[in-house]
Amino acid sequence: MRTSIATVCLSGGLTEKLHACAAAGFDGVEIMDADLVAADESPEEIRALCARLGLGIEMFQPFRDVEGVTDEVFADTLRRASAKFATMARLGADLVLVCSNVATATIDDDELAARQLGALADLAAEKGIRIAYEAMAWGTYVNDYRHSWRIVEKADRPNLGICLDSFHILSRGDDPTGIEQIDGDKIFFLQLADAPVLDMDLLSWSRHHRLFPGEGGFDLPGFLAHVLAAGYGGPLSLEVFNDTFRQTDPVRTAEHALRSLLWLADRTAHAHGEGDGDAGVARPPRAVDFVEIAGADLAVADEMLAQLGFRFRGRHRSKPVRLWSYGDARIVLDEQARDERPALTGIGFVVDDADAAATRAARLGARRIFRRTYAGEQDLPAVSAPDGTGVYWSAAPEDRSWVAEFEGGVGGESTDGVIDHVNLGYHWSEFDEAVLFAASALALTTESSAEVPGPRGLVRSQVMRTRDGVVRIPINLAPPTAPLPSRHIAIRCDDVSAVARRARAAGLEFLRIPANYYDDLAARFGLDDAALDELRNLGLLYDRDGSGEFVHFYTPTIGGVFLEFVERRGGYEGYGALNAPIRLAAQRNEEVRRGVAGSPA
Ligand SMILES: O=C(O)c1ccc(O)c(O)c1
Ligand SMILES: [Mg+2]
């Protein structure tokens, strides 16, 4: 599989983009005409740079507004084309992308379109150039890949083929199975992009919201399978127009982009039964093993966990690390960190094959973490997620010997606790990368996303989970000007009221929920007075849907982390989305009271 990326995906000048693509390990690039026009370097210099970096120039793009025009307009099109073909010769590029006409087309006639594309192809042939014709989703007359293929067949030139772009096909809801009817040798190029499912005009959706494969709502593995079944053997090239990636560090974005292609290739091979074992598609995790909180002094966390009813399981025998558990929910407090501010710094997962999971994540570009372990200590395979969060794998319960490395804890175990979800917040520049990491390295599935209004702006929440719901990681996108949101660990228990009562009796202060919230609950759900009083008195939040109920509460925030206790009744699958704005507002009110709030924006 040859990997390629369009320069339009990245920020920076053309040479910076090329260096980033090469550093990430791409085989080739699509050079955007506009990037070349704006570059200081000549086409010859860009050609030499690509050669030095080992990057193939897979395609030059785009050339626009060719077919369906009057003879007079077309004469000028050929003049424009001659000039661009001369540039391509200097660049050493021999494939050009022609977008279906979105602007100057005035004549809806396939015979004319085929004649004009044929004439363009003949001009290109004199320079040894091939043309890939791409149906744009918003093309004036040609906007369906099957239509572009009919025209290419009609024109019947050896150097004229089509370019398929997953966005243009899937955004319109066109059936991609027809791709298999196309002669694979005539698919000259393949562009890949995912996108969130949005209800908006195609052009804006395409120009601003495309995503790398695995980050949106399109079935890219299914799409690619059709293209490969047609016999396509060219590069897999990413073409992602996205406002965020135009601003982020091109080196990091290029690494992120390559990870999406590896994920896609794995998924597609897997669907064909060609997975290569340990490096192939990871099986989703079976559970969250533990969550790690690190900070220089975690005494406040110890106190809070004790108040909540966690059991102290002891100190690690060789490190300043402590273990607490609530049933099967384990929290590791790590005081090796120099940073004063406690933070959620790692998550352990239970998988079938821990080494395979780590190897696979490393192959997807994640850095391995090597930790000092002493004789007899379990060495959990681990990597660092792109944001630096540690990810550990173990094959528990058969293999949870690390727990026995903690000494001096109390015995006995409450049995009803488990980690329900771990909520991670990101800024705009890291959000899509985090979603892709969860989809690829953690083998989690994307659930629909929600938007939550908070006092500092809108928070987008994208839940990544296993299909069985045993592992759930809501990934939140913070408003652009807000500080990085706190992360939180949600513990599921059988009786959240009992936990709340006990924690209050032990002196734990909860996040303060406004009285107005309970008036609104009464209005919304018609709860009886006793139920409402219990919620109000204990400071609990409540939600209900067609399948069940959800009762939960939040602790105060310690540094950058807080806890939530939840009780799910019946088949309730959500996270109390209607309560999230209450939580965000209450957390801000708490910051205001403590004088650490900053400005609202
Ligand atoms: O939005 C565009 O103009 C544009 C240009 C080239 C492409 O390959 C494409 O898919 C879209
Ligand atoms: Mg395209």
Side-chain angles (χ1 to χ4, degrees):
M1 175 191 77
R2 201 171 159 74
T3 58
S4 162
I5 181 168
T7 56
V8 74
C9 302
L10 303 174
S11 69
L14 182 54
T15 58
E16 284 170 278
K17 295 178 190 220
L18 295 172
H19 278 284
C21 297
F26 279 96
D27 299 314
V29 288
E30 295 176 41
I31 292 189
M32 186 79 160
D33 191 7
D35 280 333
L36 180 68
V37 171
D40 266 341
E41 297 76 13
S42 66
E44 289 82 359
E45 285 169 319
I46 295 298
R47 175 186 197 154
L49 177 62
C50 288
R52 188 157 63 73
L53 294 173
L55 286 173
I57 300 179
E58 311 296 325
M59 189 161 76
F60 182 68
Q61 68 127 328
F63 191 74
R64 300 181 193 270
D65 305 336
V66 172
E67 82 290 13
V69 298
T70 60
D71 289 347
E72 193 188 354
V73 172
F74 190 67
D76 191 54
T77 303
L78 290 179
R79 182 200 55 76
R80 268 196 299 130
S82 294
K84 289 297 170 187
F85 293 165
T87 302
M88 287 176 64
R90 295 171 61 196
L91 200 53
D94 65 0
L95 179 65
V96 63
L97 176 76
V98 169
C99 298
S100 67
N101 200 332
V102 302
T104 60
T106 50
I107 309 160
D108 182 12
D109 175 352
D110 284 4
E111 294 293 338
L112 176 71
R115 259 201 323 276
Q116 292 177 329
L117 281 166
L120 184 75
D122 293 340
L123 181 67
E126 293 169 21
K127 304 278 189 288
I129 287 173
R130 297 183 309 141
I131 291 173
Y133 179 49
E134 176 186 23
M136 307 288 278
W138 56 94
T140 308
Y141 300 118
V142 180
N143 41 43
D144 178 320
Y145 75 94
R146 289 158 291 206
H147 193 181
S148 60
W149 172 230
R150 282 198 302 277
I151 293 172
V152 164
E153 275 191 298
K154 207 181 280 283
D156 192 22
R157 300 296 204 284
N159 66 328
L160 175 65
I162 61 168
C163 168
L164 294 176
D165 178 325
S166 59
F167 180 88
H168 294 300
I169 296 169
L170 301 176
S171 63
R172 289 166 38 97
D174 287 344
D175 180 2
T177 54
I179 293 170
E180 298 189 20
Q181 310 308 316
I182 301 171
D183 175 359
D185 292 336
K186 294 297 271 185
I187 302 174
F188 281 3
F189 207 72
L190 174 63
Q191 294 175 321
L192 296 163
D194 203 338
V197 177
L198 296 172
D199 192 9
M200 72 189 299
D201 75 282
L202 292 165
L203 186 140
S204 309
W205 190 11
S206 176
R207 294 261 173 94
H208 301 283
H209 301 285
R210 288 189 183 207
L211 292 169
F212 293 116
E215 297 171 355
F218 292 168
D219 175 13
L220 268 298
F223 178 86
L224 178 58
H226 295 306
V227 181
L228 298 177
Y232 176 72
L236 306 189
S237 191
L238 296 164
E239 188 194 36
V240 172
F241 303 85
N242 176 292
D243 297 351
T244 295
F245 305 143
R246 274 183 204 278
Q247 300 176 58
T248 46
D249 169 18
V251 173
R252 184 158 168 182
T253 307
E255 287 171 358
H256 163 183
L258 188 67
R259 198 175 298 137
S260 78
L261 269 191
L262 297 176
W263 169 84
L264 177 61
D266 274 358
R267 283 288 161 119
T268 308
H270 182 73
H272 284 77
E274 295 160 11
D276 53 353
D278 66 335
V281 174
R283 301 266 291 277
R286 291 200 275 127
V288 173
D289 194 11
F290 65 89
V291 180
E292 176 190 76
I293 296 171
D297 177 2
L298 296 172
V300 182
D302 284 304
E303 184 187 5
M304 187 169 88
L305 292 172
Q307 289 167 324
L308 286 164
F310 274 77
R311 302 287 164 100
F312 181 57
R313 304 303 300 272
R315 295 174 190 286
H316 193 272
R317 59 181 184 232
S318 65
K319 299 179 265 211
V321 175
R322 301 187 287 280
L323 174 64
W324 290 83
S325 69
Y326 191 97
D328 238 354
R330 280 169 287 279
I331 294 183
V332 171
L333 299 183
D334 182 348
E335 284 185 342
Q336 296 174 104
R338 249 173 256 141
D339 199 343
E340 285 295 329
R341 187 178 142 89
L344 195 164
T345 51
I347 309 179
F349 295 97
V350 179
V351 288
D352 291 328
D353 184 338
D355 285 320
T359 302
R360 200 173 155 284
R363 207 172 67 84
L364 286 163
R367 240 179 342 99
R368 287 271 200 171
I369 301 177
F370 291 100
R371 291 175 313 148
R372 198 174 45 172
T373 45
Y374 294 98
E377 290 180 3
Q378 187 177 2
D379 187 13
L380 299 180
V383 302
S384 168
D387 67 335
T389 303
V391 175
Y392 305 86
W393 287 279
S394 69
E398 308 80 38
D399 181 27
R400 194 179 277 130
S401 59
W402 66 267
V403 170
E405 293 162 19
F406 291 83
E407 296 167 344
V410 297
E413 194 53 88
S414 50
T415 53
D416 68 329
V418 61
I419 290 180
D420 184 85
H421 60 275
V422 182
N423 187 304
L424 306 176
Y426 292 92
H427 275 314
W428 62 275
S429 61
E430 295 190 319
F431 174 79
D432 296 302
E433 184 182 54
V435 169
L436 179 67
F437 184 79
S440 59
L442 306 183
L444 299 177
T445 306
T446 312
E447 198 177 271
S448 63
S449 71
E451 275 173 352
V452 178
R456 289 195 169 95
L458 214 52
V459 175
R460 192 161 108 226
S461 180
Q462 170 70 65
V463 177
M464 305 299 295
R465 55 175 281 178
T466 52
R467 284 189 204 285
D468 64 9
V470 171
V471 175
R472 303 166 189 251
I473 303 191
I475 294 182
N476 285 357
L477 169 61
T481 54
L484 196 62
S486 296
R487 296 175 155 198
H488 81 262
I489 308 163
I491 315 293
R492 187 165 71 247
C493 61
D494 294 341
D495 185 353
V496 74
S497 300
V499 177
R501 220 172 276 120
R502 193 170 55 219
R504 282 177 177 267
L508 182 68
E509 292 229 13
F510 287 18
L511 187 64
R512 213 190 291 173
I513 305 301
N516 295 344
Y517 171 75
Y518 294 99
D519 294 342
D520 180 56
L521 267 194
R524 260 194 290 155
F525 295 116
L527 298 174
D528 65 46
D529 287 350
L532 203 58
D533 278 349
E534 161 133 319
L535 296 172
R536 189 187 284 115
N537 293 339
L538 290 174
L540 301 174
L541 296 133
Y542 177 85
D543 190 25
R544 185 166 79 202
D545 64 12
S547 41
E549 295 171 295
F550 188 61
V551 190
H552 56 144
F553 71 84
Y554 298 99
T555 70
T557 304
I558 297 178
V561 56
F562 62 96
L563 263 62
E564 177 184 4
F565 262 77
V566 312
E567 179 184 334
R568 294 178 183 276
R569 299 181 189 151
Y572 185 94
E573 281 289 303
Y575 306 85
L578 281 177
N579 297 332
I582 308 299
R583 191 245 307 160
L584 291 167
Q587 286 176 325
R588 182 171 158 78
N589 288 342
E590 186 175 281
E591 288 168 13
V592 169
R593 275 195 294 275
R594 294 195 347 239
V596 295
S599 67

